[in-house]
Amino acid sequence: MQIIDLATLTGFCRVALGPSIAGILTPSDELHEEVAAASEVSGEKFWRLPLEESYWETMKSGVADMLNTGAIPQGGVITAALFLKQFVDEKVQWMHIDVAGPVWSHKNRSATGFGVSTMVEWVLKNSSSINEDEATQGGEELV
């Protein structure tokens, strides 16, 4: 199973990559390669950022399971993705795409739809393998 979320999670990615490039955070090299290939076709620009596990230390809490932000603002896009990662089973290939920069056109004062073309391309290219995986799982419903 694979999960890809597109969100304007913190705004930190817009600071790091500007208005034209979205950040990708994933522990899966395979999923990254698939989405990178789809983005080559769509023309949308993405940059893979590290999921630096040592940043997790800043999210530990003495009173809760975890903090939802790191103790320092630097690396905020990474700590936000590490937070999301806590809710995904390790067996699942997961990717967070932070579209905070390119999802909005300040010039046109409108949403750009950034990421949709890449996701459509990715789904079209991988739909046959998804159907094959579903068949091998005995018809188990994929959510």
Side-chain angles (χ1 to χ4, degrees):
M1 179 182 280
Q2 296 173 312
I3 297 174
I4 299 176
D5 76 85
L6 289 85
T8 58
L9 197 57
T10 64
F12 285 115
C13 209
R14 178 180 40 229
V15 173
L17 300 176
S20 302
I21 303 168
I24 287 178
L25 295 106
T26 181
S28 171
D29 292 336
E30 179 184 342
L31 186 55
H32 173 258
E33 289 172 14
E34 290 176 8
V35 172
S39 74
E40 288 291 322
V41 175
S42 74
E44 294 174 323
K45 296 178 182 179
F46 298 85
W47 189 262
R48 188 175 185 184
L49 299 166
L51 276 173
E52 178 55 49
E53 293 292 335
S54 68
Y55 291 9
W56 179 246
E57 293 298 316
T58 68
M59 299 173 71
K60 292 186 176 177
S61 170
V63 296
D65 293 337
M66 66 185 134
L67 299 172
N68 66 345
T69 61
I72 55 174
Q74 296 86 354
V77 68
I78 296 170
T79 56
L82 289 171
F83 177 81
L84 291 176
K85 183 180 173 200
Q86 302 309 305
F87 300 95
V88 181
D89 190 295
E90 289 182 12
K91 298 174 195 165
V92 174
Q93 289 185 340
W94 164 80
M95 174 182 285
H96 167 64
I97 301 177
D98 193 315
V99 294
V103 78
W104 183 259
S105 170
H106 291 280
K107 180 181 177 182
N108 298 329
R109 296 184 198 184
S110 64
T112 64
F114 184 93
V116 173
S117 295
T118 297
M119 290 297 95
V120 167
E121 184 62 33
W122 177 75
V123 168
L124 290 173
K125 183 165 184 159
N126 293 288
S127 63
S128 61
S129 65
I130 292 169
N131 291 334
E132 290 169 14
D133 288 346
E134 187 177 47
T136 61
Q137 293 176 7
E140 181 180 313
E141 183 178 337
L142 300 178
V143 182

